Each structure stands twice: as C-alpha cells, then as structure tokens.
Amino acid sequence: EVQLVESGGDLVQAGGSLRLSCAASGFTFDDYAIGWYRQAPGKEREGVSCISSGAGSTYYADSVKDRFTVSSDNAKSTLYLQMNSLKFEDTAVYYCAASVLCTRVAGTIIGEYVVRWGQGTLVTVSS
C-alpha cells in the first residue's frame, strides 16, 4: 500500500524554525516527484516545494523561496522540509504528496497526477 506519513509540525514563534518529514512506503521513492503543499484555514491548498523524480530538481513557491529548503534521503524514502524565518502566514496544515510530475508555474508549485496524499501535519506560527 502506498503511504505517506508527515511529522514535525508544531507551534513555533515567528522567526523560528521547524523541520518537517514525510516518510514514504509502498512505492519506489525515486520514481515520483514528491512535494510539500499546505492549506491555511479558509484558503485553498497551495504548493510549497517539490523535488522532481530522477534528476531531483527542486522547486519553490515565491512565498517560501530563500526561507524553506526541501531535501530527500532516498535510502530512507523520506522527504524533508526545513523551514526557517517562519512567518504567521506560514500557519497551515502541511501535506506531502507523490505525483508523476511537479513544476513551478506562476510562482507556485503544481503537482500533476498526484497518486497519494499524506494525512498532514499542523504548523502554527505565533506572531
């Protein structure tokens, strides 16, 4: 069974840091693009960052560029998101997803043909 399990969400003060993890199982990690998406209360889900399959190109939304860093450990089938200089507006449920492709369009991240979503992890940034 294809599974993605996020962890690492917490309450943090503005300006602080967190690292999220997404543990994958049930599929070959490197065969898919794996990305981070978030949904704030009352807003639509948006793409944050992703790593493409194979070559491992990384993409960032304009809203997080230079603050967030995505990385992966293929041996552990785990995706990470290092979040620094957190802002109140980063408050959201963060999801990871495996998709056939991911790309950056108009400053945001798009996952195409998503095959699985994780259950999400809550990040709350206090101002």
Side-chain angles (χ1 to χ4, degrees):
E1 180 185 1
V2 175
Q3 279 194 322
L4 297 168
V5 180
E6 303 93 333
S7 61
D10 206 343
L11 171 63
V12 63
Q13 287 189 333
S17 298
L18 278 177
R19 189 175 82 153
L20 305 183
S21 300
C22 171
S25 61
F27 64 101
T28 303
F29 190 71
D30 198 38
D31 284 351
Y32 293 89
I34 311 291
W36 289 100
Y37 304 79
R38 67 186 182 185
Q39 187 166 21
K43 295 188 177 181
E44 292 187 355
R45 186 157 49 193
E46 62 174 352
V48 174
S49 182
C50 67
I51 295 181
S52 64
S53 62
S57 298
T58 57
Y59 303 94
Y60 297 94
D62 286 350
S63 58
V64 305
K65 193 175 180 183
D66 298 327
R67 298 189 298 121
F68 291 9
T69 302
V70 66
S71 61
S72 64
D73 184 335
N74 287 355
K76 295 182 178 180
S77 295
T78 301
L79 182 75
Y80 303 99
L81 185 68
Q82 178 66 44
M83 305 186 294
N84 299 328
S85 302
L86 282 161
K87 304 176 181 180
F88 175 75
E89 50 265 38
D90 294 320
T91 295
V93 178
Y94 283 71
Y95 301 88
C96 65
S99 58
V100 175
L101 299 169
C102 75
T103 188
R104 182 175 177 275
V105 177
T108 189
I109 303 301
I110 305 295
E112 298 186 49
Y113 308 106
V114 174
V115 297
R116 180 69 66 187
W117 291 95
Q119 85 288 349
T121 187
L122 177 63
V123 173
T124 304
V125 184
S126 62
S127 58

